[in-house]
């Protein structure tokens, strides 16, 4: 018996608080030399290669095996080789099909909502770049399997769980290729080492310039790369680590402000308190009291 299936859901009256409404999902193992698409979809979702189609929703298709062709109004015909993923955008003419000689295996999910619209407005996902070469990624496949299991069972909360799975799929598919490219950059290991050193020396008032010197890299180049990979400058990164450490000691120990200042290698309790207030807007004692009112007694 074929495992192929497709499910289309009725739409709820109120919008999803998760920003994603599930339209439907399905799986198809298209054998070589077989008809495509298979005639188990609503009329507004069927299409043939000659005419293509335009949908009113987003669709994500994961091609886990095989190969085929995709073309849209915004892109030229392109061969897609599994494992790869492509995104169909609402209002964009498109057509796709598996190679007649090889067939393919596809997982798909259709959806709408504010969340994908915001991603598109920010160019995080774009009809100009619909194909994402995700490779053999267990996380993406497991998210498809999760949402399809939830939708087929329609247990309590299945819509929110499915919405979160789509968010994960979009996040992974738009990140993995860039991540693999960055992992090949030899400087990535230098940034990892710098992050490790900063965490290891969180109790010390170290200089980012000294870290760069220790790693035998110019500071300007180091600072630019560090911010690219972490989102923070080296100085800000180390400062945030020290702030987290200070806050943890304030909340979870009975150490005085003076002892914490000494533990974090500040010149004096005054310098520590002034630095802490610049970071949080409150003195250490006031910050601690605001988080744990019992300390005010």
């Amino acid at each position: 018996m074929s495992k192929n299936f497709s499910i289309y859901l009725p739409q709820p009256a109120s919008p999803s608080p998760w920003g994603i409404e599930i339209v439907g999902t399905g799986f198809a193992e298209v054998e070589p030399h077989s008809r495509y698409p298979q005639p188990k979809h609503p009329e507004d979702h069927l299409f043939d290669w000659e005419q293509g189609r335009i949908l009113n929703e987003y669709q994500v298709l994961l091609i886990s095996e095989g190969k085929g062709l995709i073309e849209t109004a915004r892109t030229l015909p392109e061969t897609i080789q599994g494992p790869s993923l492509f995104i169909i955008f609402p209002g964009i003419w498109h057509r796709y099909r598996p190679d007649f000689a090889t067939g393919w295996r596809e997982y798909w999910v259709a959806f709408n909502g504010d969340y994908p619209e915001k991603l598109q407005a920010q160019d995080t996902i774009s009809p100009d770049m619909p194909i994402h070469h995700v490779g053999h990624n267990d996380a993406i496949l497991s998210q498809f399997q999760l949402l399809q299991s939830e939708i087929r069972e329609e247990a309590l909360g299945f819509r929110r769980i499915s919405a979160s799975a789509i968010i994960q799929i979009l996040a992974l598919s738009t990140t993995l290729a860039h991540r693999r490219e960055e992992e090949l950059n030899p400087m990535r290991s230098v940034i990892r080492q710098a992050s490790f050193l900063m965490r290891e020396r969180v109790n010390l008032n170290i200089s980012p310039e000294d870290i760069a010197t220790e790693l035998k890299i110019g500071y300007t180049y180091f600072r630019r790369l560090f911010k690219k990979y972490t989102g923070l400058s080296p100085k800000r990164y180390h400062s945030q680590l020290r702030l987290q450490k200070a806050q943890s000691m304030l909340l979870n120990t009975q150490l005085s402000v003076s002892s914490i200042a000494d533990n974090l290698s500040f010149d004096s309790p005054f310098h520590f308190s002034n630095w802490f207030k610049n970071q949080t807007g409150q003195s250490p004692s006031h910050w601690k009291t605001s988080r744990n009112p019992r300390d005010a007694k």
Side-chain angles (χ1 to χ4, degrees):
M1 180 181 294
S2 173
K3 297 184 293 184
N4 296 1
F5 74 92
S6 60
I7 298 174
Y8 291 88
L9 298 173
Q11 295 303 291
S14 56
S16 166
W18 294 81
I20 291 181
E21 288 296 348
I22 311 298
V23 174
T25 189
F27 167 83
E29 187 162 4
V30 184
E31 299 292 339
H33 312 293
S34 61
R35 177 182 175 183
Y36 189 85
Q38 297 168 336
K40 294 183 179 180
H41 301 275
E43 289 186 4
D44 59 347
H45 285 73
L46 284 174
F47 70 100
D48 61 55
W49 178 257
E50 296 303 323
Q51 294 184 353
R53 69 178 176 185
I54 298 175
L55 293 175
N56 294 319
E57 71 221 26
Y58 294 86
Q59 285 196 7
V60 174
L61 291 92
L62 173 65
I63 309 303
S64 61
E65 285 188 18
K67 66 178 180 179
L69 194 65
I70 175 175
E71 179 184 4
T72 78
R74 302 279 285 270
T75 61
L76 296 173
E78 184 172 347
T79 298
I80 182 170
Q81 177 77 49
S84 289
L85 176 149
F86 62 91
I87 304 173
I88 299 301
F89 291 80
I92 303 293
W93 176 90
H94 62 276
R95 59 183 182 178
Y96 54 86
R97 65 182 180 190
D99 184 276
F100 192 65
T102 67
W104 71 20
R105 181 181 295 163
E106 69 176 33
Y107 299 79
W108 63 269
V109 60
F111 53 94
N112 268 316
D114 294 339
Y115 182 80
E117 290 175 359
K118 289 178 181 178
L119 292 182
Q120 185 176 348
Q122 298 167 358
D123 282 334
T124 302
I125 57 175
S126 169
D128 295 325
M129 298 182 63
I131 298 175
H132 300 272
H133 302 289
V134 297
H136 294 90
N137 188 269
D138 289 343
I140 288 182
L141 180 58
S142 66
Q143 292 300 316
F144 267 102
Q145 292 173 337
L146 170 65
L147 72 86
Q148 290 188 340
S149 174
E150 289 290 329
I151 291 172
R152 297 184 81 168
E153 294 178 10
E154 294 192 56
L156 180 65
F158 81 94
R159 291 182 185 269
R160 67 183 67 177
I161 294 173
S162 301
S164 68
I166 290 173
I167 291 172
Q168 287 293 318
I169 289 168
L170 292 173
L172 288 164
S173 62
T174 54
T175 303
L176 288 173
H178 299 294
R179 180 178 290 178
R180 283 196 298 270
E181 180 181 339
E182 289 183 351
E183 290 299 326
L184 295 175
N185 188 331
M187 291 307 301
R188 182 67 176 116
S189 62
V190 174
I191 301 305
R192 281 208 181 100
Q193 188 176 355
S195 300
F196 178 85
L197 291 175
M198 290 183 189
R199 287 184 179 277
E200 191 175 46
R201 301 171 186 177
V202 68
N203 291 65
L204 303 177
N205 188 19
I206 61 172
S207 162
E209 289 84 355
D210 291 341
I211 293 287
T213 300
E214 183 175 342
L215 297 176
K216 298 179 174 57
I217 180 174
Y219 180 70
T220 301
Y221 183 47
F222 168 69
R223 184 185 186 281
R224 178 160 55 85
L225 281 179
F226 193 93
K227 189 168 185 179
K228 174 185 175 183
Y229 284 110
T230 68
L232 298 171
S233 69
K235 183 177 181 179
R236 183 64 177 165
Y237 187 92
H238 190 242
S239 183
Q240 285 295 300
L241 291 176
R242 285 166 62 74
L243 179 62
Q244 291 170 7
K245 180 72 172 180
Q247 291 172 331
S248 177
M249 286 191 288
L250 284 167
L251 288 178
N252 301 312
T253 74
Q254 296 302 314
L255 292 175
S256 66
V257 170
S258 178
S259 295
I260 293 173
D262 184 61
N263 186 282
L264 293 175
S265 302
F266 280 88
D267 293 337
S268 68
F270 171 79
H271 286 146
F272 168 67
S273 296
N274 191 48
W275 170 83
F276 191 96
K277 189 171 184 179
N278 285 336
Q279 299 289 322
T280 67
Q282 294 178 293
S283 68
S285 56
H286 286 163
W287 183 90
K288 180 177 182 177
T289 300
S290 69
R291 296 302 188 278
N292 191 353
R294 290 177 298 176
D295 290 334
K297 297 180 181 180

